[in-house]
C-alpha cells in the first residue's frame, strides 16, 4: 500500500534522509538504532503518558467553536494545544526526547531556538528531570526575545548567544550541531520540529502524534465517527501539523490543509512560504524544499510570526505537497492578525500568531454545511500581545 509515512531509509518520497558530516555519523546512527526500540518499551510509554496527563494536562480539549462555525458555514472543532503547560504543542516533543536521552545514558541536553519557544519547552523539561541544558540562540533573537531568555535562565538553562551569520535560528542550529559533533558521548540534541536528519522528522512526528490519537477518540465521542472531513494546521517546520495528521495521513477521506507564512506576500521578497518558494536543497541534514538564491545560499525568511520563519520545511510536508496529498495555502501577516482578532472576539480565545495562520486559511476555503473541520490551535497568544496591539494601531 502507498503510504505517506517515512520509509526504511528515512525518506518521504524524494525528501528526507540524513545528509550529515562524517563526524556526526555515529551520533545520528546511535539515535536511529535506538529511537523506535526505546519509544516502544512499556516503561517509556507509561512514563510519557503519565507526564502528558499530569504535567502537560492532556488530553487537550477538542472544542466545538459554535460562533466560528457559523461564520464559515461548517462545523469547526478546535484542538486546544494552547491549553498545554508552557502554552503550545512543543512540550509534547520535548518531554519525549528528554526521556529518550535519559534512557540512552546521555547526561547533557542541548537545543536550538529561534523565538525561544522550543528553548523554553526544553529548559522546562530539563528542570523537571534535573538535566543540565544548553540552549543555542542567535544573538539577534536573544535581544528580540528577552522574556523567553529570562524564562530559560530562570529554569536553570544556559543560553548561549550565537554571533555568526544573521545571528538567527539557522545560525543557532549550525552552532548546536557543531557542539554536538564535539561532545558526542554525553550530549543529546533535542530538535524542536519535524526537521533535521532522519530519524528526527519521524521521531518528532511520533511524539506529536498524541494529538491525532486524541482527535480520533474525541471526534468519535462528539460526532460518532473517528475522522473529520478536513484537518487544518499551520506549518513552520511542521511538528504541530504532523501531530494533527499523523493517524489520518493515509486516510483519503480526510483532506489536509497546511497554512504556511506568506509574510508580506509570497512575491514580496519578505515571505516564509517555503513550500511555494523553495527549491530542492539540503538544510540541517535533510533533503527538502529550501528557500535559496541562485547560488544555493539559504535566504533569510520573513514572517510576523517568529515560529514560522524557518527557511526549510519538514520532508514529510514537502512530500505531502508534491504528491498533492495536502493543500498548502500561504497566509499573509495581515490575514493572520485579522483571523486572530476574529477568533478572540467570536470565541474568547487569543491564539498564538503561528496558529492564527491556520485560522487565516479558513476564509480561503469553501466548505459544505455538514463538513467537519478540525483545526489545531498550536499555542496561546500571550507571547504575541505586543505584536497584536501594534498591528491594531496601524
Ligand atoms: C514553534 C511553533 C509553531 C511552528 O512549529 P511547527 O513545528 O511547524 O509546529 C507553531 N505554533 C506555535 C505555537 C509554535 O510555538
Amino acid at each position: 500500500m502507498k503510504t505517506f509515512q517515512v520509509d526504511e531509509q528515512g525518506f518521504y518520497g524524494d525528501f528526507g534522509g540524513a545528509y550529515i558530516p562524517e563526524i556526526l555519523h555515529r551520533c545520528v546512527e546511535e539515535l536511529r538504532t535506538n529511537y523506535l526500540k526505546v519509544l516502544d518499551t512499556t516503561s517509556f510509554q507509561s512514563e510519557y503518558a503519565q507526564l502528558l496527563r499530569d504535567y502537560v494536562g492532556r488530553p487537550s480539549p477538542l472544542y466545538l467553536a459554535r460562533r466560528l462555525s457559523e461564520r464559515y458555514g461548517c462545523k469547526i472543532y478546535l484542538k486546544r494545544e494552547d491549553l498545554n503547560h508552557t502554552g503550545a504543542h512543543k512540550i509534547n516533543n520535548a518531554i519525549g526526547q528528554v526521556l529518550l536521552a535519559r534512557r540512552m545514558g546521555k547526561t547533557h541536553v542541548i537545543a536550538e531556538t529561534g523565538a525561544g519557544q522550543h528553548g523554553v519547552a526544553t529548559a522546562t523539561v530539563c528542570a523537571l528531570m534535573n538535566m543540565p541544558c544548553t540552549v543555542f540562540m542567535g544573538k539577534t533573537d536573544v535581544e528580540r526575545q528577552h522574556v523567553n531568555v529570562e524564562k530559560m535562565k530562570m529554569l536553570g538553562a544556559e543560553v548561549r548567544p550565537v554571533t555568526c551569520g544573521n545571528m538567527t535560528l539557522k545560525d543557532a542550529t549550525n552552532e548546536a550541531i557543531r557542539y554536538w559533533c564535539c561532545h558526542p558521548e554525553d550530549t543529546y540534541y533535542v530538535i524542536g520540529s519535524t526537521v533535521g536528519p532522519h530519524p528526527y522528522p519521524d521521531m518528532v512526528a511520533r511524539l506529536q502524534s498524541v494529538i491525532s490519537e486524541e482527535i480520533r477518540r474525541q471526534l468519535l465521542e462528539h460526532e460518532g465517527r473517528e475522522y473529520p472531513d478536513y484537518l487544518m494546521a499551520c506549518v513552520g517546520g511542521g511538528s504541530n501539523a504532523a501531530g494533527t495528521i499523523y493517524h489520518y495521513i493515509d486516510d483519503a477521506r480526510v483532506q489536509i490543509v497546511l497554512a504556511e507564512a506568506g509574510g508580506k506576500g509570497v512575491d514580496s521578497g519578505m515571505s516564509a512560504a517555503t513550500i511555494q518558494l523553495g527549491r530542492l536543497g539540503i538544510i540541517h541534514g535533510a533533503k527538502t524544499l529550501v528557500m535559496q538564491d541562485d547560488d544555493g545560499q539559504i535566504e533569510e525568511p520573513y514572517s510576523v510570526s517568529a515560529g514560522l520563519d524557518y527557511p526549510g520545511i519538514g520532508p514529510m510536508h514537502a512530500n505531502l505537497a508534491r504528491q498533492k496529498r495536502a493543500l498548502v495555502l500561504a497566509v499573509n501577516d495581515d490575514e493572520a492578525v485579522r483571523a486572530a482578532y476574529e477568533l478572540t472576539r467570536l470565541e474568547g480565545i487569543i491564539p498564538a500568531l503561528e496558529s492564527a495562520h491556520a485560522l487565516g486559511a479558513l476564509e480561503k476555503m469553501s466548505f459544505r454545511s455538514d463538513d467537519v473541520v478540525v483545526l489545531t490551535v498550536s499555542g496561546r497568544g500571550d507571547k504575541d500581545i505586543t505584536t497584536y496591539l501594534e498591528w491594531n494601531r496601524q
Side-chain angles (χ1 to χ4, degrees), residues 88-90 117 192-193 234-241 307-308 352 354-355 378-379:
H89 65 292
K90 288 198 171 73
Q117 297 303 111
S193 190
C234 65
V235 276
S239 67
N240 86 88
L308 300 184
E354 294 83 4
S355 323
S378 54

Side-chain angles (χ1 to χ4, degrees), residues 255-258 317 319-328:
Q255 302 204 47
I256 297 170
V257 182
L258 306 176
H317 310 70
N319 187 49
L320 293 173
R322 163 79 60 88
Q323 308 284 338
K324 306 217 180 324
R325 171 70 183 97
L327 171 66
V328 180

Side-chain angles (χ1 to χ4, degrees), residues 37-278:
K37 264 189 250 168
V38 174
L39 264 54
D40 282 343
T41 59
T42 44
S43 110
F44 177 93
Q45 296 217 336
S46 68
E47 195 174 358
Y48 185 50
Q50 193 215 332
L51 286 168
L52 289 181
R53 190 188 66 211
D54 301 337
Y55 189 70
V56 177
R58 302 202 73 94
S60 66
L62 186 71
Y63 165 69
L64 173 59
R66 292 185 193 279
R67 296 187 66 204
L68 191 72
S69 298
E70 204 170 296
R71 160 84 174 77
Y72 290 100
C74 59
K75 213 165 179 185
I76 303 176
Y77 287 92
L78 302 177
K79 183 58 175 161
R80 300 288 309 276
E81 294 300 297
D82 58 310
L83 294 176
N84 292 343
H85 178 46
T86 68
H89 65 292
K90 288 198 171 73
I91 190 94
N92 304 330
N93 170 54
I95 289 180
Q97 286 199 52
V98 176
L99 286 177
L100 171 63
R102 266 212 317 223
R103 281 165 171 74
M104 286 173 65
K106 306 293 179 182
T107 53
H108 180 203
V109 162
I110 62 169
E112 85 296 337
T113 199
Q117 297 303 111
H118 172 55
V120 170
T122 307
T124 299
V125 180
C126 285
L128 174 71
M129 300 193 192
N130 193 23
M131 283 274 254
C133 175
T134 306
V135 179
F136 295 87
M137 191 171 187
K139 190 162 159 284
T140 312
D141 289 332
V142 170
E143 286 156 10
R144 284 196 293 208
Q145 307 289 342
H146 186 65
V147 174
N148 277 340
V149 174
E150 295 309 322
K151 279 190 192 170
M152 287 185 267
K153 288 184 181 163
M154 186 168 171
L155 288 159
E158 180 204 356
V159 179
R160 278 214 203 164
V162 174
T163 53
C164 15
N166 284 318
M167 307 189 220
T168 58
L169 177 60
K170 160 172 72 64
D171 314 293
T173 306
N174 289 336
E175 205 53 37
I177 292 173
R178 209 163 293 150
Y179 183 93
W180 197 24
C181 283
C182 300
H183 305 82
E185 292 301 326
D186 67 341
T187 301
Y188 183 94
Y189 179 20
V190 180
I191 292 187
S193 190
T194 44
V195 299
H198 179 65
Y200 280 103
D202 181 53
M203 176 168 63
V204 175
R206 282 170 191 266
L207 294 172
Q208 293 290 0
S209 71
V210 61
I211 298 174
S212 67
E213 199 178 297
E214 290 174 3
I215 293 174
R216 277 208 306 211
R217 205 168 57 236
Q218 292 167 321
L219 265 186
L220 189 62
E221 226 167 78
H222 287 281
E223 289 290 320
R225 59 160 152 129
E226 282 189 330
Y227 67 97
D229 299 296
Y230 292 90
L231 284 170
M232 300 178 70
C234 65
V235 276
S239 67
N240 86 88
T244 302
I245 65 179
Y246 192 86
H247 289 92
Y248 298 105
I249 201 166
D250 293 320
D251 184 341
R253 295 172 299 185
V254 181
Q255 302 204 47
I256 297 170
V257 182
L258 306 176
E260 56 177 1
K264 294 190 189 301
V266 172
D267 300 318
S268 67
M270 292 189 76
S271 179
T274 313
I275 297 177
Q276 291 200 39
L277 295 172

